[in-house]
Amino acid sequence: MNNKSIIFYENRIIIALAETIAGNDKIYEWLLNNGYPELAAFSSAIRGSTQANDWLLKNGYPELSALDYAIDNDDKARGWLLKFGFDIEVMLVDCCNDKNDARKLLLENGYINIINLADKINLFRNNQEFDYHKKRF
């Protein structure tokens, strides 16, 4: 199990991740093929892939799976993140769910790329049309 906080990735990687959530397939492929398959899978999970979420769990990235579920208001996943010390991820979750205190704390501590990631996730989620035939969104 890796249990690697998102803040340990270089800023350029977090920026790249945000761009994949916005739909940049070229950067997605770059992440996938250049040592960041977990971030490519996380991006796919955010975009609704249960297979990607399964991959995260099977390959030792439960923190990214929990992050995906917590963003979708899963209290158990949010609790797991808190229990294992993923405080920045919890702030990302809260920022994605429009809790302004989290945005303020992230900004005050210089995590502008985490805020940008939250904004890209929100933009993606807010532009989805609900289809009850799909498991998510």
Side-chain angles (χ1 to χ4, degrees):
M1 189 158 65
N2 297 303
N3 285 344
K4 181 178 183 180
S5 176
I6 200 158
I7 62 170
F8 291 113
Y9 291 100
E10 296 174 54
N11 283 332
R12 68 184 182 94
I13 301 303
I14 295 171
I15 292 167
L17 171 60
E19 289 304 309
T20 67
I21 291 167
N24 189 320
D25 293 334
K26 185 176 180 181
I27 294 176
Y28 177 90
E29 289 296 324
W30 186 89
L31 285 176
L32 188 61
N33 296 312
N34 286 281
Y36 303 98
E38 73 280 9
L39 295 181
F42 174 69
S43 177
S44 293
I46 288 290
R47 296 175 65 80
S49 171
T50 54
Q51 287 177 315
N53 220 310
D54 291 344
W55 185 93
L56 289 168
L57 291 171
K58 289 177 187 171
N59 288 280
Y61 298 96
E63 70 282 1
L64 293 175
S65 176
L67 181 56
D68 174 46
Y69 281 103
I71 288 169
D72 286 335
N73 294 307
D74 183 314
D75 290 335
K76 185 176 176 184
R78 187 179 189 283
W80 187 94
L81 290 169
L82 280 171
K83 179 181 178 181
F84 288 100
F86 290 100
D87 299 333
I88 298 299
E89 284 75 2
V90 172
M91 281 193 268
L92 171 60
V93 166
D94 290 348
C95 197
C96 285
N97 290 301
D98 298 321
K99 295 182 180 174
N100 289 329
D101 290 346
R103 180 177 285 277
K104 183 181 175 191
L105 280 171
L106 288 168
L107 188 58
E108 288 173 357
N109 288 289
Y111 293 116
I112 192 71
N113 290 324
I114 301 296
I115 294 170
N116 180 52
L117 178 59
D119 290 345
K120 296 286 184 173
I121 291 168
N122 281 338
L123 183 64
F124 172 77
R125 290 184 347 167
N126 292 338
N127 287 312
Q128 296 305 300
E129 291 185 27
F130 179 74
D131 180 350
Y132 68 91
H133 293 101
K134 295 181 181 178
K135 286 187 175 183
R136 302 177 99 183
F137 304 109

